[in-house]
Amino acid sequence: MSKHAFLSPSAAHRWLKCPPSAKLNAAIPDRSSPYAQQGTCAHELCACLVEKALGRDVKNPTENLEYYDSEMQQCAEGYAAFVMEEYEKAKQTCPDTEVLIEQKVDFSKWVKDGTGTADCIILSDGTIEIIDYKHGLGVPVSAESEEFGGNPQLMLYCLGCIAMFDGIYDIDSVKMAIYQPRRENISVHTMSKDELLKWADEVLSPTALLAMEGKGEFKAGEHCQFCKVKATCRKRAEYNLEIAKYDFAMPDTLEDHEIEAILMKSDQLTSWASDIVFNL
């Protein structure tokens, strides 16, 4: 198993917050699911419709898509329309704007052997834009992040674009967009190139090094959702069992702030218990 296999952009939000989880997850084989396969089909259709809208010669993949239905078609058409709208906006200031679909990017300057595939890249002078399609019905995905500034996955793609195209296009800022139609969610965030590079040097690089070596501190939180070891993780157990610290006997009734705190943790506790049962 290669050292870099577990530092994927799609899991960056987890390994950036919990570096040692990367090595633990890498030791467990991926388990496919109908939801993941459905997402793969949707991405293939999305790519086709954007290429077609750009006037490129592409073959309709629908007859080979296992999970194709009218909803997927509608979602993909909406995505293609959104990409074309963003493309037209970019061309207003840069006639030489180019659109790349399913483009492999290389951000290995900051993460050893770091590569990924961006759904859509709009290259133009001044600003480059990454558009990421999310087919899931789970929680809405944001292009922003209080902790990192932008969405970590898209920030890695932006770094790859800067490394690959900054000599061709005069890049000043990066724009990140999440298109999640089944949650009626479109999230957009822009940050300067300098901000992104500062984050890459001061946060990304040292954290990625810790993750590759299996070092750093375990940290539990919402990023545990897709962790393969979440059911048996000791740190997550400690995190969820904090609710047991409440002394339910004194006083005789709970204060409002105690009830609020318990309710906030109840969903996490229930999810953790379900993971444990499922793992038995």
Side-chain angles (χ1 to χ4, degrees):
M1 179 178 60
S2 60
K3 278 190 173 182
H4 66 273
F6 46 79
L7 296 185
S8 67
S10 60
H13 69 292
R14 173 176 48 75
W15 57 259
L16 279 167
K17 293 183 178 180
C18 182
S21 69
K23 204 163 189 176
L24 292 179
N25 277 261
I28 301 174
D30 289 329
R31 195 184 286 179
S32 185
S33 72
Y35 303 107
Q37 294 168 8
Q38 185 183 50
T40 298
C41 291
H43 274 81
E44 187 174 345
L45 181 59
C46 284
C48 171
L49 293 187
V50 174
E51 296 274 19
K52 183 178 180 180
L54 291 167
R56 299 170 186 172
D57 187 21
V58 290
K59 181 181 178 181
N60 190 325
T62 53
E63 63 181 22
N64 297 318
L65 299 179
E66 182 180 0
Y67 290 92
Y68 174 77
D69 57 20
S70 59
E71 181 192 35
M72 184 178 292
Q73 179 71 32
Q74 185 177 1
C75 289
E77 289 175 356
Y79 168 77
F82 177 74
V83 170
M84 294 305 294
E85 288 174 7
E86 295 299 288
Y87 175 46
E88 292 300 326
K89 290 177 187 177
K91 284 201 301 182
Q92 292 177 10
T93 56
C94 179
D96 294 328
T97 295
E98 184 176 358
V99 179
L100 306 177
I101 304 300
E102 295 294 321
Q103 174 66 42
K104 184 176 180 179
V105 294
D106 186 325
F107 47 89
S108 57
K109 179 179 178 181
W110 299 275
V111 178
K112 182 174 171 56
D113 299 316
T115 61
T117 302
D119 293 342
C120 176
I121 301 172
I122 299 178
L123 292 169
S124 62
D125 286 327
T127 302
I128 59 169
E129 180 174 4
I130 303 290
I131 304 176
D132 194 59
Y133 178 84
K134 300 294 186 186
H135 195 65
L137 267 171
V139 297
V141 181
S142 177
E144 293 185 72
S145 167
E146 289 186 10
E147 187 168 355
F148 305 118
N151 180 291
Q153 178 182 3
L154 273 59
M155 290 170 77
L156 293 181
Y157 293 155
C158 288
L159 286 170
C161 287
I162 290 173
M164 297 167 67
F165 302 113
D166 200 17
I168 302 173
Y169 291 89
D170 186 14
I171 301 171
D172 297 320
S173 62
V174 295
K175 184 178 180 181
M176 295 164 274
I178 297 289
Y179 188 85
Q180 191 178 15
R182 299 172 78 201
R183 287 303 304 256
E184 299 182 351
N185 172 43
I186 298 176
S187 178
V188 180
H189 179 65
T190 301
M191 64 192 306
S192 71
K193 181 180 72 173
D194 290 341
E195 286 180 296
L196 179 63
L197 293 177
K198 184 175 187 293
W199 171 81
D201 291 336
E202 297 180 1
V203 178
L204 175 62
S205 287
T207 306
L209 183 60
L210 287 174
M212 292 183 70
E213 296 177 349
K215 297 179 180 179
E217 294 185 9
F218 285 97
K219 181 179 180 181
E222 52 82 25
H223 54 275
C224 298
Q225 182 179 4
F226 297 109
C227 180
K228 298 175 188 176
V229 297
K230 63 182 180 180
T232 56
C233 175
R234 185 175 299 278
K235 178 58 70 173
R236 187 169 180 241
E238 294 172 354
Y239 176 78
N240 283 284
L241 286 173
E242 285 181 2
I243 194 171
K245 294 180 180 178
Y246 284 91
D247 184 352
F248 297 106
M250 294 181 62
D252 292 333
T253 58
L254 293 169
E255 299 293 332
D256 288 345
H257 72 278
E258 292 178 299
I259 294 173
E260 182 180 354
I262 291 170
L263 290 176
M264 288 177 63
K265 287 181 176 289
S266 61
D267 287 343
Q268 297 169 0
L269 190 59
T270 301
S271 176
W272 173 57
S274 297
D275 292 334
I276 293 175
V277 172
F278 182 78
N279 194 63
L280 292 177

